């Protein structure tokens, strides 16, 4: 029944490793997002896909690569992890326009040691 | 890009009392949507309330209501009869009615409810 689900919930890894976070939504939305929430709780947009097409690509290191195999899935792959990548990463989805809100996943807490 | 400002990093309220969280935004658009989200310690992001800019009537959801002042570009959240479970971070967000894929968030207000 979960509308937006992302896995894993927690991810602890060492510097230099490569990791992926998966996200799936069953709401039939056409737009999906990745947000990063830092230790000060600031929410920063990273990427957005609309019907598998990249539409928002903020200033993010190219070690971060999103992939959308279909409009219900948006995964985030991170290469060569750095200490500063430690944060909570939220996947979200929304219908394309109007007052449709963002529906968030429960977040993935990434800790890089 | 639109900016959303929450000028109160922290607020506190006595249980059963009323508190108002402020939010202002900067835009030249006439068509847009505003939202308040709650993030409790569980870190889940929960939609609290939404407002369409074309509606003059302030949105209300149970104990939560907004004071939407379009000319002043202000969108404050009022929580009545505060409960312990209201303790959370609250984020104000703006969505363009024209280029609607981007949501802009404020920096959040941490609300403490005192028993």
């Amino acid at each position: 029944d979960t509308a937006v689900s992302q896995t894993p919930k927690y991810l602890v890894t060492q510097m230099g490793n490569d990791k992926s976070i998966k996200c799936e939504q069953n709401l039939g939305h056409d737009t999906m997002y990745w947000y990063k929430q830092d230790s000060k709780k600031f929410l920063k947009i990273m990427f957005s896909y609309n019907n598998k097409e990249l539409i928002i690509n903020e200033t993010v290191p190219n070690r971060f690569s999103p992939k959308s195999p279909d409009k219900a899935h948006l995964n985030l792959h991170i290469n060569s992890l750095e200490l500063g990548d430690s944060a909570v990463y939220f996947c979200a989805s929304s219908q394309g326009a109007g007052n449709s809100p963002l529906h968030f996943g429960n977040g993935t807490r990434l800790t890089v040691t | 890009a639109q900016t959303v400002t929450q000028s109160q990093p922290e607020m506190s309220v006595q249980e059963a009392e009323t508190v108002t969280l402020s939010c202002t935004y900067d835009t030249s658009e006439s068509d847009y949507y505003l939202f308040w989200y709650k993030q409790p310690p569980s870190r889940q992001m929960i939609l609290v309330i939404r407002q369409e800019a074309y509606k003059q009537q302030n949105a209300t959801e149970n104990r939560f209501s907004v004071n939407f002042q379009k000319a002043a570009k202000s969108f404050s959240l009022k929580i009545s009869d505060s409960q312990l479970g209201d303790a959370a971070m609250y984020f104000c967000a703006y969505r363009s009615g024209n280029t609607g894929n981007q949501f802009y968030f404020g920096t959040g207000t941490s609300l403490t409810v005192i028993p």
Side-chain angles (χ1 to χ4, degrees), chain A residues 5-71:
Chain A
S5 60
Q6 57 181 106
T7 55
K9 195 172 180 179
Y10 297 95
L11 189 50
V12 181
T13 188
Q14 291 185 325
M15 284 175 57
N17 285 348
D18 303 338
K19 291 293 178 185
S20 292
I21 306 172
K22 295 186 175 181
C23 180
E24 175 182 5
Q25 55 97 3
N26 63 6
L27 295 166
H29 289 162
D30 54 12
T31 307
M32 295 186 71
Y33 306 77
W34 278 109
Y35 280 85
K36 179 180 180 180
Q37 187 175 43
D38 63 20
S39 58
K40 294 183 179 179
K41 304 291 188 181
F42 297 158
L43 275 165
K44 182 180 175 183
I45 181 72
M46 299 174 70
F47 303 103
S48 177
Y49 272 74
N50 180 270
N51 282 320
K52 301 193 297 176
E53 182 182 343
L54 182 65
I55 55 171
I56 297 173
N57 185 357
E58 292 294 307
T59 307
V60 175
N62 57 14
R63 298 181 294 103
F64 289 79
S65 54
K67 283 190 173 50
S68 182
D70 56 61
K71 77 172 194 176

Side-chain angles (χ1 to χ4, degrees), chain B residues 35-71:
Chain B
F35 307 86
W36 276 99
Y37 282 87
K38 169 185 177 181
Q39 186 180 35
S42 66
R43 83 166 179 248
Q44 188 180 4
M45 292 287 288
I46 302 164
L47 176 68
V48 175
I49 201 165
R50 75 183 93 175
Q51 174 82 40
E52 294 86 351
Y54 61 81
K55 288 187 178 178
Q56 291 189 336
Q57 186 172 6
N58 289 324
T60 298
E61 290 285 346
N62 300 313
R63 297 182 296 106
F64 298 87
S65 62
V66 299
N67 183 4
F68 174 49
Q69 302 287 328
K70 191 171 184 178

